[in-house]
Every structure is written in structure tokens, then in C-alpha cells.
Amino acid sequence: MKTKYLAVVAMVMALSACNNSDMKPDKAYIGPSSLQVEGGHMTPELLLSLGRLSDPQLSPDGKTILYGVSYTSIEENRSVRNLFVMPAEGGEPTQLTMDGKSIASAKWSKDGSAIYFLQNGQLYKTPYKNGKLGKRTQLSDVPAGVDDYLLSPDEAQLIFVSSVHSAVEVPADTDPLLSKAEAYATEDLMYRHWDHWVTEIPHSFVASLGNGVIREGMDILGGEEAFFQLPNGPFPDVADLCWSPDGRYIAYACKKLTGKQYAFSTNTCIYLYCPLTGQTTQVTSDGGYDTHPVWSPDGSRLAWLSMERDGYEADKVRLMVASVRYEEEGEGQCANPSVENICDVTQAFKYNADGPVWAADSQSLYFAALAEGVQGIFNVVLSETPEIVRLTADNLWFDFDAPFGVLPDGTLLTTYASMDFPTELVAVNDNAIQQLSFENEHLLSQLDSHDTEARWLDTVDGEKMLTWVLYPPQFDASKTYPAIEICLGGPQGTLSQGWSYRWNYLLMCHQGYVVVLPNRRGTTAFGQPWCEEISGDYIGLNMQDYLTAARNIKAEPYISGVAACGASYGGYSIYYLAGIHKDVYDCFIAHAGIFNEEHMYMTTEEMWFPNWDNGGLHEYAYQAGQVGPAGDGVTFGGIKQGGSPWSTLPKARRHYDNSPHMLVTAWHTPILCIHGGSDFRVPVDEGMAAFNAAQMMGVPSKLIVFPNENHWILKPQNALYWHRSYFGWLDRWMK
């Protein structure tokens, strides 16, 4: 199938044509790039210059879409996000703001006459009429800032997310005169998370609108719950809270654990909170992640996403629905709500559900799911035997998100992307799609087209594996080309039609490489058994899947050699393959890779991940007060740690005995090791240790450390240096 940047509507509406030409830009404003493409080829500079569209919101009358676009200045090393509107049926976009500081979380007022948004960590409101904004009013002055918010249906109240002090001690906690001292003290785990020391945690507060500037609110997690997080970290998402249609209740998801228990457990539960009385009703109890609660429009039902097993992050994501019943205690008062008839409406569905959205009649839900290599939109009608229908054809090679709006004729408004273009607005109706926005058409239309192929390869055990192959522009099978095989991170995830600003496959093929994307064991779009074959077996079939894909492409007469590249678990894959591949690969690049599994277990932060995947394969269990080993070879310090270096379980022993650092004497292929210095998920020591080992083995190698970046490389100039170094290393050894 030949894939190009799709232009369903013939007219191209570049941002330069946006109206509101009388609007004066702020002096620090960053606008769309006017970069000219040379020779039809994608470059890292072009990639970083693309506008990034996000967070679309449909107006209450269903006629206008509000959204934001971020533009980047490589020279200034920063990005700025501003607001736009466009007709829901498509048409010319109108730019609403040209600020020099980003605007986030824009939302319509209930009558569409105003827009709320965040800027500089505070909440604002501005009138809206005919594509123009009026005078802005600051609604909050919260000392710790507002990270996100949710308006109640009547706009009389809001939930706002802000930070509070955590249990991690800083010197000023014990002596105010030590305010300039820098240290962190703790007596429990989870003292750091992802890329930050946990001196603060997110809490959610309820406040009234219209009574002056908001400076504080009622903490949903008060008293004994002060050290829990709401929303949950490390990436707090306000979608874990939801107002009921009548505004009397707030459904929220929270992992009410701290310290070691928080580190080892994924047990996040659903709760109902009444702001009027402060009463909290627990909806779910046991199991893994329960997240993203969504009320039905009539308030009679609650839906949420759920994983069944505690301690396993890659369990099947189910869509749960329950009825809500109230025992009224008087007019205007909160009742005693009870949640009944909890049902998994995706029990017969083999894929993971995401982003549930209720239909207007409260009788069905829309959701997104990765299915057989691409993300589609599905609908489930609620009945005794729920019926699930795919609404986007499986031969549409795009990743569709869950809809943000449904028009009266049933048209779904959503966003989509592919390996060939980033997020754009799109309308979906009966498998017909109409692209609504063309944010980057003025840049991407300058690129030469290329071909993408879907290969279903035979694995060593007789299964079928989807492998995407991207060919360079002007590909000529009579010539030879180097190939890049991508080793997926996760380890659970999918190489679908998604767009990435870091691992960008369009950019790779435009540098003259054939790009190979195997959906090996552990990927999530092919059913739970395929996904779970990687847990406890990092060194097994999924590694053979990589070798299968590499040998398949290397057998083509037009391939001159194969490089393997990957990040996170993909980086682990690189370090492991370097010790077993013999001469299959010609070059390696590992970003944020796991090198020494024992060291990784003892230095990462969320322990449920290695405890399950390293061979534990059991649910969370904890007995407070126990010290040292329990004598069963699995329980230590009261925690069941079957995936630990000190476990006696056979799969755990096999896992650690075959850690990549144990195989360095077989390394002989050039390798580039890249790592972020603020990466607490896979600490930077892993990358340095791998590089040091390569140097001690005499293997051609290079180390790049970004001291202030995390698991990803996000700052524009750092990202540009990353891309240049990535292709510089590949060209050096593959061309």
C-alpha cells in the first residue's frame, strides 16, 4: 500500500491564511515554520518545526472546534502553544491568540460565549464571539499554581489540580534557616519518580467560581489521605476525575498507597466523592489499575478502564460499566450512592480499550483500541450481550483517537495520525473520513512520497508477526540500501501507525534507510496471549522475533546491511542482541537501555514493573512489619518479590543469569549508547556502564549523556543534537 500525506479536501489551508489578521502577536510569540524543503527530503530540522495540534474541544452548539497548536523555535530552544478555532464541518481555521507564553487546557463555557484556559499556572476566562476573544479575567491566584482543572456542569464550581508537600524531607522542613540547603531525606520508597524527586505530589481541590479570585479550595484527599496522589503520578491526568451530570458527585481514580506499597502495587481504585458533605464511597477495591471514570449523560451509569491483576501494568485493559443508584436524604443534599451490576462490556473483545466516550443516549460507548497493528474507533452497545462494532475500517492505515465530539448525523469528530503525518483533526462517518485540519500541509507537501508495506512473517514457532517496512523515496530495487530495525520499548506496546517526534520512521526512511518495524512478542495489538509471552522471557521468543525480521530483510538483494536501534526495553534488546547476534547486525544504537538487570531492580522507582516482568509473574502481596527473607525464596521484607535478584523462582534466576552485562565478552559490533541524566526509570548509570563495558572490550563505541533530560529527549536543541548524532552514527557504519 502506498502511503502519502492524506489530503481529503482539495483546498490546502495553511496557517498563513488564518484570519484575525488584525491581532497583534506578542514579542515572544512563535508562529508556524516557513522552512523550505530541499530535494524533497525530510530532515530533523523539519521534524522539529512541525506544528503540534492537541486537545480539541467541540463547542456546546456543535458548530466549532477549539484546539491548540504548539510551534517550536530551535534557535530559542523553546515552544509556545496558542489557540485556534475552526468550523466543525471543516474550513479555514481562525487563530485566537498569539501569546509568547503557552496557553493550555482551553475549554468552552457551557453556553459557548466564553473560553477558560490556563497560562502561567493560573486559570483565566475570556469572552468569545465570532472568532475573537475579549478581555481576559484571571480567576485564580493559587500559590502553588494550577496544573489542570475541570468545570462543574453548571460552572458554579471547579476541580483544580495543584501540588502539596510530600513525605520526602528537605532541610527547611527541620530548620527554616536552611532554606538554601539542598538535600532529600526519606525513610520509605518512592522518593523519586520518573524524572523528579518527590518533594511535592498532586492533589485535587474543589472551589467555587464567581466568589472572587480563587486562592485555595477544599482538598478531596484530606486528613489521613494527605500523602496520596490525585491524580496519580508520574504524569497526573485530570481525566482521572469526572463531575456527575448534576454536579453533585465527583468520580475519581486514586492509588491510596504510599512508599513501598505504592512502588510495588498498581491497585488504583474508583471512588465517588460528594463535595457538599465530604463523603467518599469506594466503588472498586481489589485488582490493578482502575482509571478514567466517565459518567453517562443521564447520570445513571459510570464507566471506567480496568486491569484485573495487581502489580501488572500490561494486563488487558477492560471497559467496565456499572449502574449508579442513590438513596436520597433530602432535596439538595448528597445521597448515599451505590454502584451495582459492574460488568466488563469488553469481555469478548481481545484488545485493550482506551478513551471511553458516552453516546448522547447513554446506551452505548465509543472507545479506541489498537487492533492488529492500527488503532481504530469502536462502539459498544450496552445489553445483556454487549455488541462491539469497529467504526473505522482495518484497511485504513491511520491511528484514530477516541472521539471528542459526535454530531447529530452520527459523524464522529476525532484526531488521527500515521507514520507519515502528525496529529490532525478528522471526521469519521460510516468508514468515510474527511480530514478537517491541515496544520502541516505546507511543509509535508514538499516531501517526496515513499512506500510502506505490511509483511506478516513466520516466526520460529510458527506464528505470524506483523512487520511494517518503510522504503526510501525513489526506492529502486536494483540498488542497495542499509536497513534500520526498530526494537520497541515498553516492553509492552505496539509499532502502529502512530507519529513520534523522537523515533520518527518517516525521517529515517528519508535518510536513505529501509525501516523495519517488527511487532514482536509483547506487543499489545494482537491479543493478550501474544502480549504476555514476553513477561518472564525477555531473552526468549521476542529476541528470536527480532532476528527473524532482520534475517528476512537482510535476505533481500537490495539490502546492504542492518542496524538495530531501540530505547528503554528496546535499549535492553540492543544490549542483549549485541551479545548473541553473531553477525546479523552491522551497527547498534541503544537509548535509555537496561544493561545490568540486578542494578536496574535496585535503582528504578516503580517496582511493580521489574517485579512482574523479571520472572515474578504474580500479583502484589505485602505483610507489614516483616524483615528479611521469609524463607520461601520469594517473600522479602514482607513483600512478595518473585522477580527480584534474590528470588529463587526459575524464571527470575534465568532472567538475571542472562542479563546483557553478562554477555559483553561476545560484543564486537559498533554501538552508540545515549542516556538522559534525569532518567529515574532507567537510571543513567545503565548507559554509562554499557559504554564502559564496550570500551573495555575494545568495541567501537560512543556515549552521549543529556544531563537534564529524562527518559525522553525533549528540549528542541537537545532533540536536534540527538537526531544528528543518531544519523551520524548510522551513516558512519552503514554507509
Side-chain angles (χ1 to χ4, degrees):
M1 176 178 179
K2 193 168 187 176
T3 57
K4 298 179 180 179
Y5 183 71
L6 184 68
V8 178
V9 178
M11 179 180 293
V12 174
M13 290 158 286
L15 283 173
S16 59
C18 290
N19 54 28
N20 259 7
S21 58
D22 58 334
M23 182 169 43
K24 294 181 179 180
D26 184 276
K27 63 181 180 180
Y29 169 71
I30 297 174
S33 173
S34 58
L35 186 70
Q36 294 298 306
V37 174
E38 296 183 5
H41 289 291
M42 182 82 160
T43 64
E45 290 83 358
L46 176 62
L47 175 66
L48 296 174
S49 298
L50 297 175
R52 308 188 187 193
L53 186 154
S54 61
D55 195 23
Q57 305 282 327
L58 184 62
S59 61
D61 63 6
K63 295 180 179 180
T64 307
I65 301 171
L66 169 68
Y67 61 97
V69 181
S70 295
Y71 298 120
T72 298
S73 169
I74 297 174
E75 181 182 4
E76 298 179 32
N77 201 32
R78 66 187 184 94
S79 299
V80 174
R81 184 178 188 272
N82 276 282
L83 300 181
F84 295 76
V85 290
M86 72 178 307
E89 70 271 14
E92 184 178 354
T94 298
Q95 187 160 358
L96 297 180
T97 63
M98 287 186 172
D99 286 31
K101 294 184 178 180
S102 288
I103 296 175
S105 299
K107 295 177 173 61
W108 294 100
S109 64
K110 63 180 180 179
D111 61 2
S113 67
I115 291 174
Y116 297 84
F117 62 87
L118 295 178
Q119 191 175 47
N120 294 323
Q122 300 299 339
L123 179 64
Y124 293 80
K125 182 181 181 181
T126 177
Y128 169 84
K129 186 175 182 180
N130 298 329
K132 292 187 178 182
L133 299 181
K135 183 180 178 181
R136 303 176 186 184
T137 301
Q138 184 171 339
L139 301 181
S140 73
D141 188 19
V142 177
V146 176
D147 298 324
D148 214 336
Y149 68 99
L150 285 176
L151 300 164
S152 64
D154 61 2
E155 291 179 33
Q157 302 179 90
L158 84 159
I159 304 165
F160 69 88
V161 180
S162 191
S163 296
V164 300
H165 190 36
S166 76
V168 174
E169 181 183 295
V170 296
D173 291 336
T174 57
D175 186 348
L177 296 178
L178 298 179
S179 60
K180 295 182 180 179
E182 294 184 28
Y184 308 108
T186 184
E187 296 184 16
D188 210 340
L189 292 184
M190 290 311 301
Y191 50 89
R192 61 180 191 172
H193 207 177
W194 192 254
D195 61 358
H196 60 278
W197 297 90
V198 187
T199 59
E200 294 179 333
I201 55 176
H203 270 208
S204 294
F205 301 83
V206 179
S208 296
L209 278 172
N211 296 329
V213 177
I214 297 168
R215 291 183 172 84
E216 59 184 14
M218 180 171 57
D219 194 342
I220 293 177
L221 299 181
E224 296 179 355
E225 299 187 330
F227 290 118
F228 301 147
Q229 299 182 39
L230 181 63
N232 300 299
F235 311 113
D237 187 352
V238 76
D240 275 343
L241 298 103
C242 183
W243 287 97
S244 63
D246 60 9
R248 298 170 67 189
Y249 297 94
I250 297 167
Y252 70 86
C254 184
K255 184 162 72 168
K256 295 190 175 181
L257 299 169
T258 60
K260 289 183 288 294
Q261 296 184 67
Y262 189 101
F264 277 89
S265 174
T266 60
N267 187 18
T268 304
C269 298
I270 303 295
Y271 300 85
L272 300 183
Y273 173 77
C274 175
L276 186 65
T277 64
Q279 174 187 343
T280 298
T281 302
Q282 186 165 349
V283 175
T284 64
S285 55
D286 298 329
Y289 285 115
D290 289 324
T291 61
H292 206 111
V294 187
W295 291 91
S296 63
D298 64 4
S300 67
R301 288 183 168 120
L302 187 69
W304 65 92
L305 301 175
S306 175
M307 293 187 186
E308 184 176 9
R309 289 171 284 182
D310 186 0
Y312 181 31
E313 68 153 344
D315 208 355
K316 182 188 175 187
V317 182
R318 307 169 296 173
L319 178 54
M320 313 298 289
V321 175
S323 57
V324 183
R325 185 170 59 85
Y326 308 96
E327 298 175 7
E328 296 292 347
E329 295 182 345
E331 186 175 350
Q333 301 294 313
C334 275
N336 292 316
S338 60
V339 178
E340 303 170 339
N341 305 317
I342 296 176
C343 175
D344 173 11
V345 298
T346 53
Q347 185 174 9
F349 187 67
K350 67 183 284 190
Y351 309 108
N352 295 328
D354 189 31
V357 175
W358 281 97
D361 62 3
S362 299
Q363 300 303 308
S364 71
L365 289 125
Y366 302 99
F367 63 93
L370 280 161
E372 304 305 309
V374 293
Q375 183 162 286
I377 301 175
F378 296 79
N379 176 255
V380 56
V381 177
L382 304 183
S383 63
E384 290 187 9
T385 55
E387 179 184 357
I388 298 177
V389 177
R390 184 169 188 155
L391 303 179
T392 54
D394 56 9
N395 63 353
L396 293 174
W397 284 5
F398 311 105
D399 275 8
F400 293 88
D401 294 312
F404 63 85
V406 183
L407 300 182
D409 66 353
T411 297
L412 305 179
L413 299 179
T414 185
T415 56
Y416 76 157
S418 81
M419 294 181 191
D420 290 348
F421 62 88
T423 300
E424 295 284 5
L425 299 169
V426 66
V428 178
N429 194 328
D430 195 23
N431 273 329
I433 60 174
Q434 177 193 0
Q435 187 169 316
L436 302 177
S437 66
F438 298 85
E439 177 57 45
N440 293 296
E441 176 71 2
H442 65 295
L443 296 174
L444 296 179
S445 62
Q446 301 178 59
L447 299 180
D448 290 341
S449 63
H450 73 97
D451 288 346
T452 298
E453 176 189 2
R455 296 187 180 189
W456 288 90
L457 303 182
D458 293 323
T459 64
V460 294
D461 59 338
E463 299 290 337
K464 294 288 186 181
M465 175 177 64
L466 173 62
T467 300
W468 301 104
V469 180
L470 283 69
Y471 296 92
Q474 290 93 43
F475 174 76
D476 183 347
S478 68
K479 299 179 180 179
T480 59
Y481 302 82
I484 301 171
E485 180 180 67
I486 298 299
C487 296
L488 178 66
Q492 295 85 5
T494 297
L495 289 166
S496 64
Q497 282 293 321
W499 176 271
S500 172
Y501 285 94
R502 288 174 292 276
W503 294 82
N504 189 277
Y505 313 125
L506 177 65
L507 176 61
M508 293 179 192
C509 78
H510 269 256
Q511 308 312 303
Y513 289 88
V514 174
V515 185
V516 182
L517 309 171
N519 277 285
R520 46 81 178 150
R521 260 36 94 91
T523 50
T524 56
F526 306 92
Q528 200 62 21
W530 183 266
C531 172
E532 296 199 5
E533 283 192 39
I534 198 169
S535 296
D537 192 29
Y538 278 13
I539 66 172
L541 286 171
N542 85 102
M543 291 298 168
Q544 294 304 312
D545 293 341
Y546 283 135
L547 293 170
T548 293
R551 289 171 178 141
N552 175 268
I553 201 67
K554 203 166 187 176
E556 300 287 2
Y558 49 78
I559 295 298
S560 59
V562 181
C565 308
S568 194
Y569 177 80
Y572 164 93
S573 303
I574 298 304
Y575 293 145
Y576 184 76
L577 288 169
I580 68 165
H581 79 106
K582 297 183 180 177
D583 294 310
V584 172
Y585 300 102
D586 302 282
C587 173
F588 289 118
I589 298 179
H591 174 93
I594 304 167
F595 176 66
N596 184 329
E597 282 285 10
E598 290 191 3
H599 184 263
M600 168 71 178
Y601 189 89
M602 290 179 276
T603 55
T604 191
E605 14 80 298
E606 287 186 312
M607 299 305 303
W608 41 257
F609 165 64
N611 194 40
W612 184 287
D613 258 34
N614 291 8
L617 306 178
H618 57 69
E619 294 195 58
Y620 164 78
Y622 176 60
Q623 182 65 48
Q626 293 188 5
V627 178
D632 59 359
V634 173
T635 306
F636 306 87
I639 304 173
K640 193 173 182 182
Q641 299 181 55
S644 67
W646 31 86
S647 169
T648 61
L649 292 180
K651 286 197 172 184
R653 296 304 342 131
R654 175 174 173 266
H655 179 89
Y656 288 102
D657 289 345
N658 289 277
S659 174
H661 80 284
M662 303 291 287
L663 307 174
V664 295
T665 56
W667 284 20
H668 62 281
T669 307
I671 187 167
L672 168 62
C673 307
I674 312 174
H675 225 103
S678 295
D679 186 348
F680 296 160
R681 176 53 49 91
V682 182
V684 65
D685 308 45
E686 297 290 313
M688 293 189 292
F691 169 73
N692 291 357
Q695 287 283 303
M696 287 183 272
M697 292 299 109
V699 175
S701 49
K702 184 176 182 177
L703 172 68
I704 301 175
V705 174
F706 294 88
N708 298 313
E709 296 280 8
N710 59 24
H711 206 55
W712 305 315
I713 308 302
L714 301 176
K715 298 179 178 66
Q717 290 195 11
N718 286 347
L720 181 56
Y721 179 73
W722 187 97
H723 284 293
R724 288 176 175 175
S725 301
Y726 178 88
F727 290 114
W729 186 258
L730 288 171
D731 291 350
R732 176 178 171 184
W733 298 102
M734 302 300 295
K735 294 184 178 180

